[in-house]
Amino acid sequence: MLTVCELFKSIQGESTFAGEVCSFVRLTGCNLSCSYCDTEYAKSGGTPMSLDDILAWVEAQQCRLVEITGGEPLLQKEVVSLVARLCDDTYTVLIETNGSQDISALPDSCVKIVDVKCPGSGVESSFFMPNLAAITQNDEIKFVISDRPDFEWACDFVSRYRLTNRCTVLFSPNSSKLAPKDLAEWIVQKNPGVRLGLQIHKFIWENERGR
């Protein structure tokens, strides 16, 4: 069983899959309190669902792209079995994690979207460093940037651990503190080898829940 916050189908908004139709499974629970969190409602509550029921819902959406998100989905250990079963059924599976939990048990066939929290998040010491060894070329690492110090911190992290040799790296602006134009200009000027990521679902639906 997994505790599910919500199930919905929408546009994938903030990865290299941005713009594609995607079925979302948002699980309940999170161990962090990021300063810019936009899913506080996912920290508690939810509905217990069996893996079979979740898989049946996914199948009914008739969409081959599926994202498991939260909250922090890896707090619920049975999520590994859900991801494995979806991959076995030949879905393209994305799992978005805050980076604090061990990702090594996840199948290599899924796409792990792993956050590294910058100082502006308020939880910059939360990253589980052994996760770097579990990252493959199939995966993505994301930094949410709140200001210029965050940008410089993230560039240093990317360079020190040679992240661009490991996988796609995305820098996304904290929409409440940093204009996308400013982050784009910094990336152009410094060219750290990263990709600008924007939450395009928010441009379409703002903060509407289930989008």
Side-chain angles (χ1 to χ4, degrees):
M1 300 291 287
L2 288 167
T3 304
V4 177
C5 174
E6 59 186 348
L7 304 170
F8 59 98
K9 185 163 71 171
S10 187
I11 295 295
Q12 214 290 334
E14 49 183 325
S15 72
T16 59
F17 293 83
E20 297 188 32
V21 177
C22 181
S23 299
F24 288 85
V25 179
R26 186 183 302 282
L27 300 183
T28 298
C30 190
N31 59 318
L32 301 182
S33 294
C34 298
S35 62
Y36 45 74
C37 180
D38 57 3
T39 51
E40 287 281 349
Y41 62 86
K43 288 187 174 182
S44 61
T47 303
M49 293 183 68
S50 69
L51 298 192
D52 287 342
D53 285 344
I54 296 171
L55 289 163
W57 178 85
V58 169
E59 183 178 5
Q61 306 315 300
Q62 299 184 328
C63 176
R64 301 309 301 175
L65 181 64
V66 183
E67 177 166 326
I68 314 298
T69 186
E72 173 44 56
L74 289 174
L75 293 177
Q76 300 190 49
K77 299 309 178 186
E78 202 170 357
V79 73
V80 175
S81 297
L82 175 62
V83 171
R85 288 181 63 178
L86 287 166
C87 290
D88 287 346
D89 288 343
T90 70
Y91 289 96
T92 299
V93 183
L94 319 178
I95 179 161
E96 186 162 3
T97 170
N98 64 27
S100 70
Q101 303 299 300
D102 186 358
I103 65 173
S104 63
L106 291 166
D108 287 342
S109 50
C110 75
V111 178
K112 299 176 285 291
I113 303 172
V114 184
D115 277 17
V116 177
K117 301 297 185 182
C118 297
S121 70
V123 290
E124 69 270 20
S125 62
S126 63
F127 186 68
F128 184 65
M129 290 301 296
N131 280 341
L132 293 181
I135 291 288
T136 73
Q137 289 286 335
N138 197 40
D139 300 325
E140 304 178 11
I141 292 179
K142 183 179 75 174
F143 296 79
V144 175
I145 311 294
S146 295
D147 50 28
R148 186 72 194 212
D150 268 7
F151 176 76
E152 297 297 341
W153 185 93
C155 286
D156 179 70
F157 194 103
V158 169
S159 175
R160 190 184 328 143
Y161 298 106
R162 300 181 179 180
L163 297 190
T164 55
N165 293 333
R166 297 173 180 266
C167 65
T168 299
V169 179
L170 300 106
F171 281 14
S172 298
N174 172 355
S175 58
S176 66
K177 289 193 173 182
L178 181 62
K181 179 181 176 182
D182 291 337
L183 179 55
E185 289 178 347
W186 298 343
I187 291 173
V188 170
Q189 290 164 5
K190 192 153 188 170
N191 193 14
V194 306
R195 180 170 177 162
L196 176 66
L198 300 177
Q199 294 178 303
I200 64 171
H201 54 291
K202 290 188 176 180
F203 286 91
I204 303 168
W205 293 291
E206 296 184 345
N207 290 316
E208 183 178 337
R209 182 168 167 174
R211 291 295 193 175

